[in-house]
Amino acid sequence: MSDRIRTTEEVLADIRNLVGSPGYVYPLLLIIFEDFHIDPENLHKINYWERLNVNEASLLVGLLIQKSIDFTPPESFDSLFEAKQKTRELLQELHRSFNKPFMEKLRKAIPEGQEQTPSGSFQDVFGQGDMLVEPIFYSGTGVYDFQYLDFLPKKYQYDHEWLKAKRGFVFAEVVEIFKRTKELLQRNSERVHLYVSRGLEQAKEKARKSYKGKDFEADFQQVVKMAELHQYADLFFDDTLVGLDPKTEEFRAAAHRAFYRNLINLFTIEKSKLLKLSGGDYFIRNFSICPGDPLCSRFAGIGAYNVASTQPLIELDNDRLLLPIPFVLSEAIYEAPFYWMMGDDSYKNTASDNRGDAGEEIVFQFLSKVFGRNAYRRVLVKTGNAQTETDVDVLCLLGSKALCVQVKSKKLTELSRRGDNESLKNDFQKAVQDAYEQAWIARQKILDKTSKFFDENGEIRLSEGIDDVYMLVVTTENYPSLTHQVHTLLKLKENSPSPLAFTAFDLEMVTHYLTDPYDLLYYIRQRIKLIDYFQGGEEMTFLGYHLSRKLWREEEADWVLLDTCWAQAIDRNYYPFKAGLKVSDEGDSIKARWKDEKFNLLCDAIKTLSGDKVTDIIFHLYDLSGDFRTRLAQLIQERKKKTWADNKFHSVAIPPDDKYEPRFGITYFSSETDSLKEVENRLHVLCSLRKYQSRADAWLGLGSIKSSLAPFDFIMYNSTPWTHDEFLEEGCKHLPALVKSTQVNLSPVKATNKVGRNEPCPCGSGKKYKKCCLLR
């Protein structure tokens, strides 16, 4: 293969020729079967880079049905495998071809021999149409088939009468037909047992060591082909072979024909079975197409309208339908009603209004389950003279933080998918930019505290303590490469934080896992705070990483690119759960590993308190590293037990970590008395002095009375900015005396010489260093 990067058009021309070759349907279906039939137990192990994505497969199917399908069997199995291999090579080359526009821009921007980045802004280089086709085409689906079905009656809840009257489209019937179709195909697939691993390198090296032939590569590939064919062994037999002698050529020829016939049958549904179901005739009419139909010829390539994506049931004859990719059918069911209604001039405006109302309701339902009564819908922002300045689709409040959510229902148009600059910018403006700017206005109004806020029940009393407002844009459409487009196209106001952009499907998954309002808002805060630090393809990637490790800066990394394997952690946990599949816990990493049971009990106790600053306290505690969280809970228990044992006052302090902002510290002590007043006074002194001495941004104090079993009985929080104070300066001089009198060291000792983990701690506690100051 030449080192020259061919253009996308050149590669597509070769793909068209290959797809148009006799019998190409067979290697195509083999590829689809192998790439899209996955054991739920192994969802976390899949290397998606080795498989076609849905758009690539739909591209091939769309080209295949532009004319009548040629069912001529390949001359040999070698030619079958050659066509499979050629397909994968061309698709890999197609992917590489998208780099060509960037390389050309790079050559023009950088004079030969100079080492520098291209001139112009990031958006000038990466925000152009030809640079966005690739992330759109190769983006993950971002949604599961069952989500499309779940969202269907919610999205079109106000249009059900029109859909029933004009298209015979009834939600319950359509969902049932899809489920039945998927079951039939699943039953067909049970004839095949895939076991040949794609990770053949280890097996290959092992075989090479014991190989004694002349041409290892050819012989090894032949073994692989035989193993792959053996997976389909059952397809070589059907009733046509009954009575034939297995030793004859006639038998072998019949088995050859049976294989290809049964391969087609793996993807085939009988119309008669669907027609027996209520609404089956309308379903077939709405979602099937005959190969060679004039609509099929409209498909011009990547990003263009592809009837295989909107009418994925391919008519083979009077009673057979071919469905290569069931997921595409679920997507068509969800998307098609919009286009049907937009084609009705007398109804399209009503449909647009309905879509907006339904979108707001979907988002509000998800968020109200998390925030409860602190979630408000259709909030009007008014000035002192009662004029409406703006509105918020959904407003959520949590102590000192607020969440402004703007909901849109804008699709990515065909022109945008094909890389048209103006269309991309127009779609993004309506889907994200406008929503962000509206949320930004509301954010300013909340923070400057000069406006009033109203929902359908009257005025909403916002706390004076709100000091930050997060902005979230949610689209009810599955908007390809949404995260990437926000990164490359969004124009921020001066000194404005970035908004976060979700699809409604993202929001469903995020609220499924983060059901506590503090957990959800912390995730949103971290995503926004680190939006330029962590890069990833889709929201599931960020969520999977957060649930497994927590979104937090990595030491010695300027920025982090998250692999899709983090999204697979969600696949492994969420898909079986929602699909009702029984799978083992093995390989399921979504167990909130960065949490600790005892630490959670401490946080839960704090959450029960009133006051705006509870949110700040919880966020500070969530910011602590895993070791600190575990150690904090242990230290609290240890100090309480010591007090019970010796009837003395015991305390511990965790100073700020200089590597992180904001600088936050903690003091805890257990009192030898049951006097809350004494606890309050001591805690105030210790925390004030420790915060001042550490020049910390914030300090948390927790105190317990002797007889209490609770994690704490008194709490104080100080986030006053540090300033020089003569009184506190003098007080810090007495801090060592306070420490000595209470026989406790308030901060970790930073040894000037290296101290071994098992050596006595330099603080004089009598403990080993690893069990004392090393852990603080």
Side-chain angles (χ1 to χ4, degrees), residues 177-231:
I177 294 170
F178 175 81
K179 290 181 178 178
R180 179 60 178 156
T181 299
K182 194 173 177 182
E183 287 172 4
L184 290 170
L185 292 179
Q186 180 62 36
R187 194 174 303 163
N188 292 346
S189 70
E190 290 173 359
R191 299 186 66 182
V192 178
H193 304 281
L194 297 177
Y195 61 85
V196 175
S197 170
R198 291 167 182 274
L200 292 170
E201 290 305 312
Q202 283 186 322
K204 188 175 181 179
E205 289 308 309
K206 188 175 180 180
R208 190 189 299 274
K209 292 178 181 178
S210 59
Y211 179 73
K212 298 181 180 179
K214 295 181 178 179
D215 191 342
F216 174 78
E217 289 296 333
D219 288 348
F220 183 78
Q221 289 305 317
Q222 193 63 32
V223 171
V224 171
K225 290 177 184 178
M226 290 173 64
E228 288 186 9
L229 271 180
H230 192 266
Q231 298 175 125

Side-chain angles (χ1 to χ4, degrees), residues 109-172:
I110 303 177
E112 187 174 352
Q114 293 188 21
E115 294 184 3
Q116 62 186 58
T117 55
S119 59
S121 69
F122 181 87
Q123 289 187 349
D124 291 337
V125 177
F126 294 98
Q128 301 302 308
D130 54 359
M131 295 298 292
L132 289 172
V133 175
E134 189 266 353
I136 290 173
F137 185 71
Y138 291 100
S139 64
T141 60
V143 59
Y144 299 106
D145 55 3
F146 55 76
Q147 284 184 297
Y148 278 135
L149 303 182
D150 290 346
F151 273 74
L152 183 67
K154 299 175 185 177
K155 181 180 179 181
Y156 301 109
Q157 58 187 293
Y158 304 117
D159 305 302
H160 60 94
E161 292 296 338
W162 186 96
L163 291 170
K164 182 179 180 180
K166 299 292 185 178
R167 285 283 184 160
F169 190 92
V170 179
F171 302 138

Side-chain angles (χ1 to χ4, degrees), residues 7 99-109:
T7 65
N99 292 326
K100 193 174 182 68
F102 173 70
M103 297 304 295
E104 290 177 350
K105 287 183 180 181
L106 203 62
R107 280 194 292 270
K108 292 177 182 178

Side-chain angles (χ1 to χ4, degrees), residues 330-401:
S330 70
E331 187 172 40
I333 290 170
Y334 182 78
E335 300 286 0
F338 166 79
Y339 295 104
W340 298 340
M341 292 185 292
M342 291 299 103
D344 184 342
D345 290 337
S346 65
Y347 190 75
K348 63 182 181 182
N349 291 334
T350 301
S352 293
D353 292 340
N354 291 344
R355 192 161 55 128
D357 292 341
E360 289 179 11
E361 191 161 323
I362 290 170
V363 172
F364 179 73
Q365 285 176 355
F366 286 134
L367 291 174
S368 61
K369 288 179 181 178
V370 177
F371 289 93
R373 295 180 180 179
N374 290 321
Y376 304 88
R377 183 183 174 191
R378 294 179 178 173
V379 177
L380 298 179
V381 184
K382 297 185 177 183
T383 59
N385 57 11
Q387 289 185 335
T388 300
E389 298 175 288
T390 186
D391 65 272
V392 184
D393 291 334
V394 182
L395 175 65
C396 302
L397 305 175
L398 187 67
S400 60
K401 315 301 175 191

Side-chain angles (χ1 to χ4, degrees), residues 545-576:
Y545 184 89
H546 181 71
L547 294 173
S548 298
R549 295 186 57 177
K550 191 181 75 166
L551 286 167
W552 193 247
R553 287 183 180 272
E554 299 282 346
E555 292 187 27
E556 301 178 358
D558 294 329
W559 65 280
V560 175
L561 177 63
L562 297 179
D563 189 81
T564 55
C565 67
W566 296 106
Q568 288 172 243
I570 299 289
D571 288 338
R572 177 62 179 79
N573 179 271
Y574 188 72
Y575 186 85

Side-chain angles (χ1 to χ4, degrees), residues 17 23 126 206 243 400 541 555-556 636 654 707 718:
N17 290 334
F126 294 98
K206 188 175 180 180
S400 60
T541 301
E555 292 187 27
E556 301 178 358
I636 289 175
I654 299 178
S707 62
N718 185 351

